[in-house]
Amino acid sequence: MAVRPVAADAGPKPVFKRPSLRERIKSSRTAWLYIAPAALIMLFVTLFPYIYQLFMAFTDYRVRNLRFNLLNPETWARYAPPFVGLDNFVRILTNQLTIENYDFWRLLLFNITWTVANIVFHVALGVLIALVLNSKTVLLRRVYRALFVLPWAMPGYVAALTWRNMYDDRFGAINQLFGVINRLIGTSFPTDTRWFVISEPPIGGLLSFLPLAFYAVLLANIWLGWPFMSVVATGALQSIPKELYEAASIDGASGWQQLRKVTLPLIRPAMVPAIMLGTIWTFNQFSVIYFISQGNPFGRTEILITQAYKLVAEQRLYGVAAAFSIVVFFILLSFTLINNRVTRATEAYDV
Amino acid sequence: MSKKLKGVLRQIAIQLFLLLVTAMVLFPILWVVSLALDPRDIDKPLELRLIPPGASLQSFRKVLFEPFNLLCRDPSNPATCMKFGGLLRNSLLVALGTSLLAVVLGSTAAYAFSRFRFIGRQAGMLFFIVMIMLPTTGLLAPLYVLLSQIRIGSEPLRASLFGLVVAYSSGFLPFAIWNLKGYFDTVPKELEEAALIDGASVTGTFVKIILPLSVPALAVTVLNSFMTGWTEFILAWTFLDNPSRFTLAMALRSMQGQFATPWSEFAAMSILMSLPIVILFFLLQRYIVSGLTIGGVKG
Amino acid sequence: MASVTFDHVTKAFGEVIAVNDLSLEIKDKEFLVLVGPSGCGKTTALRCLAGLEDITSGTISIGDRVVNDIAPKDRDIAMVFQSYALYPHMTVYDNMAFGLKLRKVPKAEIDQKVREAAGLLGIEALLNRKPKQLSGGQRQRVAVGRAIVRNPQVFLMDEPLSNLDAKLRVQARTEISRLHKRLETTFIYVTHDQMEAMTMGDRIAVMKDGILQQLDTPQHLYDKPANKFVAGFIGSPAMNFFDVTLVGEDGELAVDSGTFKLRVPPQYRQVLANHAGKEVVMGLRPEDIHDKEFMPPLSFSARLKANVDVTELMGNEVFVYLMSGENSFVARVDPRSRAKAGMEMECVANMENMHIFDKQTEVAIV
């Protein structure tokens, strides 16, 4: 038998050879083939407009410039938009846009308030209701679970238009509901509230920048948003092994302590990604704001993305709108970077 | 207090709470249903009632079979106005086209990003993150210009339903690829290796192993892209000129008048538009949470 | 049915060399076991052979064919994965038929082959189940079944038993050996468990840090380990090692540990003579250390005294954990031994089975 005595740790060190560029291109070819269809369409229909948008952001691009065609030199002289450098950005950040009720920092503050308020309610309600329905002794829990996803299942666009109509001051369901309550228990709530016109803030002090309309759209978006959080929380709750509760109760933990020490820490890993997703969705929740409050009163419930759309669709300030989108992008980018930090800090526990 | 009595009281308290939540969840939905069933075709609903007196499906009939007099090529001639059937056809074309493109292109690209190490991979992933975050509203103008330049026959791509499909799916692709890639990453590599040894080609493993195991992420992609095509209204409103191309979402929006809203018709239309999505949602529901949370964020 | 040759095969992942200049010839119909601690490169070597990894340099041949650039599916091999890698969305039947379907084998033939393999493995009753509904042992059989229906030239198995409990593992071990005899095909089997290697392999290749340490039959590997690593890796309880000095005494040679001195049998004296005065490592297997009262007849033995630390009664034998100065070691002695923790025991070492390793290179001298 061939015995090859080998020293345990010796052995020639072969020279490590990095694959040549040719080999790397060869092995990349299959991958590129798979990506090509998506890449082509995105290059054309998404990337190119984005780059064009970047160009527009540095020009005073208006309606007449829409005839400007890069491929057609004849249009260059007549329709090329004037280059204005960073002017658009400066005007956005220093509130020098010639549109009504524009204040960038108020918009940003409102957008953040809007997002935080929504997420707090979505998560709190979602987790609370998931917890209640997680108890096996609750009757009809399957029925409730099915009913409670309805707001999420409905197209957001239709839901937003419905809420818009519900807030109608004369024919809307909300004011009529107050009428019914008044009749039933003899209270005297106003039944002709003009939800999106009143500019008097219902809560003063620190929150005086929030008009009544804010609470109206908030309610609508809570209605829309909590079922998602609830479903995620339900999934996480169901994956917690029963033994953990048994162990906790043997250790003498009360119901409240079990909730705080076992349940909440264990559903956190599932909630964090969902909250991150929910935050981005809410930050850019176009339909609720655009269709329900339309930014009223006086643009005080406008968020960045609806303002960007109005710059295009109503003011036709294409260059400014492009710059505005880029500003919003950087806000979202910094936000995502912070979020990444947070998620990395909350890696999933092994159960 | 006996243990049993305590349990009963607890049950009652919980049921009361759940009934309150149910009432809040159902309130807007029941309101819409009640409006839709109102036989008087009211334009001024002045009271809340669950079942209006003499409830009928009249407004559904009206929405389904009568022309929409705001969506006409020639407003004076009702024969040129769109009817529900035509709108439905357009909406279906756009929604199905969008989800088809998104699923096919999204899953192939996501597969490459998940499984191959190739030149440009890092750059590509970064590109998708950037694209997901870039607001699309600013794209309205450049996209308008671009799609107007491309002509199919005598009309610009912009004004065609296919143009909408391309725009929607392209806008949706970064998220789809990101989400699918994250999900594909969770399929164990050994399964693919086993298939390779069993004799499958790269495409074979993709189609026979990866795709069947990624149904949740595919379901999310289908549902979301279908929903985009079905309910998107801003691009459609801006791009389409010819009323014969208009979609249901546009029709619903057109009912939202500044001063007068045809409440019953609006309600009936809302229900008709929501039904397919709600049904699709319930069919795919068991996949949706895992499809979103496994792929979407861990990727 | 084919031989397999690794010719100076190296596989590097970036700066990490997983397989280092591996040369190995596996004969037709042989059952070769690749064994070593985790991270030793055995699985990587197997994956290179399967075509799941591209090798950095060298050549791999199956039969006469160099397979370096041949896709896994065209190498005519089958592999059983550690995780079994059963397709979760397919039934057991479809899992087993998958490879044949891809090769466009006629339906009737597929059916016949799948049922035959299922019969061989005793899993006929499971054919319509999904992998999720199977126990660990059943999954392992299905994974083997998936490999054998294809009737490949070479079987590759990557730790196929490591997910089974101890009892099942012993049973599965004999089943795989029986399968090998019946199929008369080349098997290459990767494991970290030396017991599996010893009981199953025709030959065993021991690897460490990507380098092949020794390739030999189980018995030879046990009796004549090529270096200290192999000596310590093969056998359980592991070989005892003593740091000793070789000392010459009146024309005789002895090993001196500081607390005991043992004479070296005459047949080794010549080889060891030129190491006299040097520090070396002596190896003695536990079964070569006996209780003096129950020692078998030995032709050349040496005595030593040591303190008993712990005893473990195994029924047919006793493991006695001993201390002598700095050296702790295990003896595997007759169950009648009266050794008790705390007492001093007189031991007899069978010096004919001693091993001597170079202290620096760890290569076996004797």
Side-chain angles (χ1 to χ4, degrees), chain A residues 234-267:
Chain A
T234 300
L237 282 174
Q238 284 168 345
S239 68
I240 299 178
K242 219 171 57 202
E243 299 87 65
L244 280 177
Y245 291 107
E246 289 165 358
S249 63
I250 289 170
D251 285 342
S254 67
W256 172 246
Q257 281 168 324
Q258 287 182 22
L259 176 71
R260 269 189 46 217
K261 304 282 180 188
V262 180
T263 311
L264 294 184
L266 284 176
I267 63 171

Side-chain angles (χ1 to χ4, degrees), chain C residues 31 80 117 120-121 140-141 144-145 147-148 155 157 172-185 187:
Chain C
F31 196 126
V80 178
L120 192 65
L121 296 161
Q140 188 264 337
R141 280 152 190 265
V144 172
I148 63 179
F155 272 103
M157 302 199 172
R173 221 152 67 186
T174 44
E175 274 171 21
I176 289 179
S177 295
R178 205 176 300 145
L179 201 63
H180 172 244
K181 293 207 176 63
R182 186 176 165 138
L183 296 173
E184 300 196 309
T185 309
F187 272 50

Side-chain angles (χ1 to χ4, degrees), chain A residues 15-330:
Chain A
V15 185
F16 169 64
K17 171 173 74 101
R18 201 179 147 78
S20 72
L21 186 66
R22 216 174 59 102
E23 281 171 51
R24 286 170 63 213
I25 290 177
K26 210 181 102 192
S27 66
S28 297
R29 211 163 43 197
T30 327
W32 287 343
L33 268 177
Y34 271 88
I35 297 169
L40 275 180
I41 189 170
M42 281 166 64
L43 278 183
F44 251 105
V45 186
T46 310
L47 185 64
F48 181 74
Y50 272 125
I51 293 171
Y52 198 74
Q53 185 187 17
L54 203 60
F55 155 76
M56 286 164 74
F58 296 96
T59 64
D60 185 17
Y61 207 107
R62 287 163 189 265
V63 180
R64 65 187 302 271
N65 309 106
L66 284 175
R67 289 169 177 245
F68 172 61
N69 180 351
L70 273 177
L71 301 176
N72 181 356
E74 282 171 35
T75 63
W76 286 29
R78 290 187 58 195
Y79 300 117
F83 184 75
V84 292
L86 289 172
D87 204 33
N88 288 334
F89 293 95
V90 172
R91 283 166 60 205
I92 287 168
L93 296 178
T94 56
N95 305 331
Q96 292 173 39
L97 293 184
T98 50
I99 53 175
E100 273 178 57
N101 304 316
Y102 175 79
D103 179 345
F104 179 80
W105 302 103
R106 192 205 64 218
L107 272 175
L108 183 59
L109 174 68
F110 181 81
N111 208 341
I112 292 171
T113 315
W114 157 255
T115 311
V116 172
N118 268 298
I119 292 297
V120 167
F121 278 107
H122 291 173
V123 174
L125 259 179
V127 171
L128 173 69
I129 291 168
L131 277 172
V132 169
L133 285 177
N134 199 43
S135 157
K136 289 216 167 51
T137 54
V138 173
L139 300 172
L140 299 173
R141 57 210 278 260
R142 287 174 148 265
V143 178
Y144 287 123
R145 275 197 182 137
L147 284 176
F148 290 175
V149 265
L150 273 173
W152 182 21
M154 241 173 114
Y157 166 70
V158 175
L161 286 179
T162 302
W163 275 92
R164 158 86 207 144
N165 286 333
M166 297 223 304
Y167 282 121
D168 191 281
D169 50 1
R170 279 183 302 164
F171 312 121
I174 302 285
N175 278 342
Q176 289 173 5
L177 183 66
F178 281 118
V180 171
I181 292 172
N182 286 345
R183 240 178 299 136
L184 281 179
I185 53 177
T187 45
S188 53
F189 293 115
T191 57
D192 55 353
T193 312
R194 304 179 74 190
W195 297 90
F196 305 114
V197 177
I198 295 175
S199 55
E200 190 78 6
I203 299 175
L206 264 183
L207 296 180
S208 58
F209 67 100
L210 298 170
L212 185 61
F214 166 76
Y215 301 96
V217 279
L218 180 65
L219 181 70
N221 202 43
I222 291 171
W223 185 85
L224 273 165
W226 75 266
F228 170 68
M229 293 297 173
S230 192
V231 171
V232 173
T234 300
L237 282 174
Q238 284 168 345
S239 68
I240 299 178
K242 219 171 57 202
E243 299 87 65
L244 280 177
Y245 291 107
E246 289 165 358
S249 63
I250 289 170
D251 285 342
S254 67
W256 172 246
Q257 281 168 324
Q258 287 182 22
L259 176 71
R260 269 189 46 217
K261 304 282 180 188
V262 180
T263 311
L264 294 184
L266 284 176
I267 63 171
R268 199 177 62 164
M271 294 310 291
V272 167
I275 290 172
M276 199 175 135
L277 213 57
T279 308
I280 291 180
W281 285 344
T282 312
F283 194 87
N284 288 330
Q285 178 50 277
F286 179 84
S287 12
V288 168
I289 299 286
Y290 181 76
F291 291 119
I292 300 180
S293 80
Q294 292 168 314
N296 288 325
F298 308 116
R300 299 243 306 267
T301 59
E302 207 80 78
I303 57 174
L304 292 166
I305 192 151
T306 54
Q307 184 68 65
Y309 176 68
K310 281 189 178 170
L311 287 172
V312 174
E314 289 167 18
Q315 268 80 27
R316 308 271 169 188
L317 293 166
Y318 297 109
V320 176
F324 199 89
S325 296
I326 289 165
V327 172
V328 174
F329 162 72
F330 277 107

Side-chain angles (χ1 to χ4, degrees), chain C residues 254-265:
Chain C
V255 290
D256 186 352
S257 78
T259 51
F260 59 79
K261 209 182 249 185
L262 307 171
R263 284 184 307 134
V264 171

Side-chain angles (χ1 to χ4, degrees), chain C residues 72 82 156 204 206 243 255 282 291 297-298 311 329:
Chain C
Q82 179 172 11
L156 310 181
I204 299 173
V206 184
D243 285 319
V255 290
M282 178 183 70
D291 186 334
L298 297 171
T311 60
F329 58 101

